[in-house]
Amino acid sequence: MIIIIDFGSQYNQLIARRVRENHVFCQIEAPDNALEAIRRHSPQGLILSGGPSSIYEAGSPKIDPAVFTLGIPILGICYGMQFMVAALSGRVERAQKREYGFAELSVKDADGLFKGVRRTTTCWMSHGDSIKQLPQGFKATASTANTTFAAACDSRRKLMGVQFHPEVDHTPMGATMLRNFLFDICGCKRSWTMKSFAKEAVAEIHRTVGDKKVVLGLSGGVDSSVTAMLIHQSIGNHLTCIFVDNGLLRKNEAAQLKQTLRQHLQINIRFVNAASLFLKALRGVTDPERKRKIIGRVFMEVFEAEARKIKGAEFLAQGTLYPDVIESVSVFGGPSSVIKSHHNVGGLPKRMKLKLVEPLKYLFKDEVRKLGQQIGLPEKLIWRQPFPGPGLAIRVLGEITANRLNILRDVDEILLEEIRSAGLYKKLWQSFAVLLPIKSVGVMGDARTYENIAAIRAVTSRDAMTADWARLPHELLARVSNRIINEVDGVNRVVYDISSKPPSTIEWE
Ligand code: XMP
């Protein structure tokens, strides 16, 4: 395996993906944890990520320089390279201006990192400081017009660095360079597949849980469904799932999910209808954070009451994914947890004295989908778009009433029907409707109307950390708008959301 040291780059997850796409397992670790992680995992190689800091800034992230003496191949990217050079007594200078964007790379070395790479190729630069003198034993292996030491290496010690970003698509030969590092330099094997992961995960769950009982909150989303299947394959009926219908699901969704889950997951599932409890608690509430907090609290109460009926449960299983874990170890911390309080069962393990089982915590969403395929989860569940825990409550802006929820359900149903028949459902990260808390004037027949506005949101994304609004065909938007206004009572206007994340978020609340 490979360890990636997180110096705070926005591209960290991309480095991890690039490594894993080559069937080599990797983990991202905080700089403070570098030596300990190396001791624990004995990695074949280390990648030091880029980062926004200057090595001269007070408090800039650091690793113990002893790492460079362990004999493990190390690739430093951008800040990672600057840190390595400075730590080994080279010279890094504060640059007057940042170099940002495409640059032409002249490659001097035909092997090592650059095996199979042409003498000139394009690379993507994004760095402030620059290297003025290499440490002893290093030689320059590539340059650009502005950067003499765009890449360098000490082949004896297997230490190397690049100032550009091989992990981004803007560096077309970057994938080749990373492959050279993984296989030629580190000697990794292509042994990490979803088949091997599933086998290992099932064994690991068994080792952790033994003959104890596990409870799991099933939402019908791909993460909790895959978690349930893995655990079920490991411990069978010692797993009990709880599905809470909070009354905030899409049209007919609770009934359809119930049927699909029953049919395809031959697992103990307890269905709890708590719709009225949620609606009562949300009455009159308009503030997004309060909505989220209330839903979180009621969910915990309902879940806890149900879980207590399962005698002898000692573990709580969750479908936590790697991006959540990375955000909590990242040196700069992820901002998303403070922007919106996520609804989950975070407080439960402590309250109920349950231990956690999180078999997916090293996987990205696309890997979870592959794993789902591998372990036989039906397509219907694998390819469901993500749906937020607080459900339609954060899509009915303003006050949530049964009537407004129903209007949104009807709008949403039309949108999804059209998205599906245009063959776009799987291509979009999410597509949904939002009911706005204002009305607008329209004309229907000869009469004036004063009705609700529905907003349509469709985004593409790899992992929800960033997202772009989908360029849906105009004809499709026209059809959706026509149908909504004609078929849904109470809506006389449809708008399309053309904001990306950041600075907007995917959900409106
Ligand atoms: P935002 O709106 O922060 O959403 O860009 C990012 C992704 O997370 C989903 N989301 C949630 N998922 N509980 C969840 O399980 C939540 O409270 C929650 N809030 C947002 C959102 O749908 C998107 O996929």
Side-chain angles (χ1 to χ4, degrees), residues 201-202 205-206 209 212-216 224-241 267 315-319 357-359 375:
V202 167
I205 293 163
H206 204 266
V209 174
K212 302 291 186 296
K213 291 199 174 146
V214 181
V215 276
L216 178 147
S224 64
S225 304
V226 171
T227 307
M229 267 190 96
L230 267 184
I231 297 182
H232 187 256
Q233 288 185 359
S234 177
I235 60 164
N237 281 341
H238 280 219
L239 168 72
T240 306
C241 299
I267 289 180
F315 289 87
L316 176 76
Q318 281 187 338
V357 192
E358 298 174 303
I375 61 176

Side-chain angles (χ1 to χ4, degrees), residues 86 215 265 347 418:
V215 276
L265 273 63
E418 291 296 337

Side-chain angles (χ1 to χ4, degrees), residues 10 14 16 61 79 148 166 212 217 226 262 304 317 332 377-378 396 480:
Q10 55 174 328
L14 214 49
Y79 176 92
T148 318
K212 302 291 186 296
V226 171
R262 279 240 164 90
E304 183 175 354
F332 298 104
L377 198 73
V396 168
V480 167

Side-chain angles (χ1 to χ4, degrees), residues 189-352:
K189 298 264 175 314
R190 294 173 185 274
S191 58
W192 196 68
T193 59
M194 279 306 132
K195 196 170 171 193
S196 66
F197 178 88
K199 199 167 154 225
E200 177 50 33
V202 167
E204 172 69 25
I205 293 163
H206 204 266
R207 273 196 298 275
T208 313
V209 174
D211 58 359
K212 302 291 186 296
K213 291 199 174 146
V214 181
V215 276
L216 178 147
L218 199 59
S219 69
V222 60
D223 309 342
S224 64
S225 304
V226 171
T227 307
M229 267 190 96
L230 267 184
I231 297 182
H232 187 256
Q233 288 185 359
S234 177
I235 60 164
N237 281 341
H238 280 219
L239 168 72
T240 306
C241 299
I242 299 172
F243 180 93
V244 177
D245 177 359
N246 57 11
L248 302 166
L249 299 177
R250 288 173 147 150
K251 196 162 180 179
N252 300 328
E253 200 170 26
Q256 277 166 11
L257 273 173
K258 203 165 166 173
Q259 201 200 356
T260 313
L261 292 169
R262 279 240 164 90
Q263 193 182 344
H264 294 283
L265 273 63
Q266 265 82 43
I267 289 180
N268 287 330
I269 308 177
R270 293 171 178 235
F271 292 91
V272 189
N273 185 345
S276 56
L277 270 181
F278 281 88
L279 285 190
K280 200 167 142 218
L282 286 166
R283 199 173 290 152
V285 178
T286 55
D287 177 67
E289 273 302 281
R290 271 197 68 210
K291 284 183 185 174
R292 283 173 172 275
K293 293 256 161 66
I294 290 169
I295 293 165
R297 174 177 56 74
V298 178
F299 181 86
M300 292 240 271
E301 287 164 8
V302 173
F303 188 89
E304 183 175 354
E306 198 60 30
R308 287 207 186 278
K309 295 182 194 160
I310 302 159
K311 294 283 165 272
E314 289 192 16
F315 289 87
L316 176 76
Q318 281 187 338
T320 314
L321 300 195
Y322 202 34
D324 308 323
V325 179
I326 297 173
E327 282 192 0
S328 58
V329 301
S330 168
V331 277
F332 298 104
S336 51
S337 55
V338 285
I339 293 170
K340 293 177 187 180
S341 342
H342 269 213
H343 146 80
N344 54 32
V345 285
L348 262 190
K350 219 171 163 189
R351 248 166 69 173
M352 291 186 63

Side-chain angles (χ1 to χ4, degrees), residues 292 340-343 386 388-390 394 429-430 464 501 505-507:
R292 283 173 172 275
K340 293 177 187 180
S341 342
H342 269 213
H343 146 80
I394 54 168
W429 173 266
Q430 273 170 297
K501 172 183 180 176
T505 53
I506 296 177
E507 303 289 345

